[in-house]
Amino acid sequence: MLPIRIHPTIPARQLAVLLLLGVALVLGHASDAGAVSRAGPVIGVGEQKPVMFASKPWRALRVRTARYTAPWDALRDPQQLALLDAWMASARRSRVRVLLGFAHSLRTQQLATRVPTPRQFERQFKRFRARYPWVRDWLVWNEANHPGSPTARRPRRAAQLFDVVARNCRGCHVVAADVLDTSNMAAWVARFRSAARHTPRIWGLHNYGDANGLKTKSTLKLLSVTRGRIWFTETGGLVIRRVYEGRRVVHTYRYSLRHAAKSTAHVLALSCLSSRIARIYLYHWQPPAKVTNWDSGLVDWRGRPRPAYRALRHWLSHSASAARRGGRRALCG
């Protein structure tokens, strides 16, 4: 580093301002150097562990978007709050744009089955906003139509929670309803829309059925029954999925790494169905050493890239090339 020479005619306060501006310019150029212009939707990763941000495979992707799902009352749960703070700090250090989503409480089994009232939810949401004022992307309730979710039979309550976020976060990107591609999806969305006071501008979709069945049905269905943008807020190629009854495993679905890669490539290509599909969050980054119920990781438990990771990297390279050759038309043509 070169020594700083202070000119005697420059007042100390003005000098401090100039130094701060210089630092801002350096940081700005560093951030710009990491950015990549790509055609098509913004690509992100949904992952609950902050170790992702420090890994070489993550940095090699040059992706700047990630999703975290927290209990709606995480700020009242010391264990969940510590996990959330650690993840958010790592994301911010890595200059990652965060989509922060909410799900049921983990404090007790009884609370896990309850949906908060709009007043309770609003109180906690304001606390989240105050704690993380730099977050501008919010997901109101994870997989709100999932049969096991406390909002599955309460789309009106889910709409009220969306209204809370829309009212208290003007200018934010708000995923109004985040739905799983189950048979009740269209009917649930219709009831949600009729109850919401604010106009939903972003819909979230977990289209694992389309991704792993190499289909388009659910994605096209949500496009047909909604207006506005659609984000695939969680999707990806499966390696292992287990179904439980209580603590007992009743079925294990095993897929190959090749299948997961093919599914990953397919779901990325689904963005070509419509320009309304604006973001895709692949779930997840890395499985544990011992998989309990789910593995759709882009890398293995040791952090080594899998075929699905290479499929993603190929797509990102293709979309960067398409950005130079005509944008979305070059990407999807």
Side-chain angles (χ1 to χ4, degrees), residues 25-26 61 63 95 121 126 139-140 147 149-150 155 186 189 192 228 243 268 290 316 320 333:
L25 286 171
V26 170
L61 292 177
V63 167
R95 297 192 179 95
F121 189 74
K126 287 180 177 179
L139 188 155
V140 177
S149 172
V189 165
F192 177 97
V243 179
L268 291 167
K290 183 178 180 181
L316 293 173

Side-chain angles (χ1 to χ4, degrees), residues 3 23 45 67 83 85 93 100 114 118 171-172 206 277 311 331:
V23 171
V45 176
R67 187 208 70 168
L83 294 172
D85 275 344
R93 281 195 301 269
L100 185 53
R114 293 181 179 176
C172 294
H206 296 195
I277 300 171
L331 179 69

Side-chain angles (χ1 to χ4, degrees), residues 13 24 41 48 71 80 92 96 102 111 123 130 141 168 172 204 206 235 246 261 263 274 282 296 301 307:
R13 183 176 295 179
Q48 299 295 106
Q80 291 300 317
R92 197 172 191 193
V96 167
F102 298 114
L111 286 173
R123 188 180 301 117
W141 198 270
N168 287 281
C172 294
H206 296 195
T235 191
S263 297
S274 172
L282 295 171
S296 56
W301 68 274

Side-chain angles (χ1 to χ4, degrees), residues 72 115-125 154 156-165 167-168:
W72 71 272
V115 188
T117 66
R119 185 175 180 180
Q120 291 170 331
F121 189 74
E122 184 169 34
R123 188 180 301 117
Q124 292 304 309
F125 180 69
R154 304 186 70 181
R156 182 173 178 274
R157 174 58 60 85
Q160 290 173 334
L161 302 186
F162 159 60
D163 286 329
V164 165
V165 178
R167 183 170 63 248
N168 287 281

Side-chain angles (χ1 to χ4, degrees), residues 100-310:
L100 185 53
F102 298 114
H104 63 78
S105 175
L106 292 176
R107 287 192 290 157
T108 67
Q109 287 193 351
Q110 187 178 28
L111 286 173
T113 63
R114 293 181 179 176
V115 188
T117 66
R119 185 175 180 180
Q120 291 170 331
F121 189 74
E122 184 169 34
R123 188 180 301 117
Q124 292 304 309
F125 180 69
K126 287 180 177 179
R127 292 183 64 199
F128 272 93
R129 288 277 289 136
R131 194 176 189 90
Y132 312 113
W134 48 277
V135 175
R136 306 299 295 171
D137 301 343
W138 299 90
L139 188 155
V140 177
W141 198 270
N142 184 61
E143 292 188 348
N145 69 321
H146 189 291
S149 172
T151 55
R153 297 186 180 182
R154 304 186 70 181
R156 182 173 178 274
R157 174 58 60 85
Q160 290 173 334
L161 302 186
F162 159 60
D163 286 329
V164 165
V165 178
R167 183 170 63 248
N168 287 281
C169 202
R170 297 188 184 278
C172 294
H173 294 92
V174 181
V175 180
D178 181 72
V179 293
L180 185 65
D181 58 351
T182 51
S183 58
N184 72 335
M185 180 182 72
W188 194 97
V189 165
R191 292 176 62 193
F192 177 97
R193 286 182 61 185
S194 65
R197 294 184 178 182
H198 292 78
T199 301
R201 303 191 185 281
I202 304 173
W203 300 88
L205 175 63
H206 296 195
N207 54 352
Y208 285 108
D210 279 0
N212 290 275
L214 306 181
K215 300 181 294 184
T216 61
K217 181 180 178 181
S218 298
T219 306
L220 289 172
K221 173 60 72 174
L222 189 61
L223 283 165
S224 70
V225 300
T226 61
R227 294 180 181 180
R229 287 168 287 173
I230 290 178
W231 294 1
F232 297 169
T233 44
E234 186 178 314
T235 191
L238 282 163
V239 179
I240 295 175
R241 180 170 72 91
R242 290 191 175 95
V243 179
Y244 285 77
E245 285 185 1
R247 295 185 178 182
R248 184 173 66 91
V249 178
V250 294
H251 199 93
T252 297
Y253 297 91
R254 295 186 182 276
Y255 306 83
S256 67
L257 295 177
R258 182 180 178 184
H259 161 86
K262 193 172 182 179
S263 297
T264 300
H266 174 71
V267 81
L268 291 167
L270 285 179
S271 63
C272 290
L273 290 173
S274 172
S275 59
R276 290 170 54 200
I277 300 171
R279 292 195 196 180
I280 298 176
Y281 292 84
L282 295 171
Y283 183 82
H284 54 145
W285 182 253
Q286 186 174 11
K290 183 178 180 181
V291 176
T292 53
N293 65 326
W294 189 276
D295 179 4
S296 56
L298 293 168
V299 300
D300 66 18
W301 68 274
R302 288 184 176 137
R304 298 175 300 191
R306 287 171 162 178
Y309 174 92
R310 290 188 280 275

